[in-house]
Amino acid sequence: MNTQNINLPASFRVIGVGTGIEEVINKVKSLGLDGVSAEIAEDPYECIPNDEDKLTIIIFTDLEETANRIANNASSG
């Protein structure tokens, strides 16, 4: 993947939820892009997006309820 000329927000966050999501999160981390974080949510309250996050993507393979809880907490905050 060509990472040149990619203009990402200063704080771009990827949150993974569910079984087997580690591979996706590790791939995002391996790109080494500035201002991009990637993490796996074991608990929906441990990685709630905050005001400093310009963009948050929640990826899930199962545990849809947990992913929805994270998204709902982000939109109400």
Side-chain angles (χ1 to χ4, degrees), residues 1-8 27-34 36:
M1 176 179 171
N2 181 2
T3 57
Q4 294 178 348
N5 301 321
I6 293 178
N7 295 317
L8 296 174
K27 181 64 176 175
V28 171
K29 287 180 179 180
S30 75
L31 295 173
L33 300 170
D34 291 336
V36 176

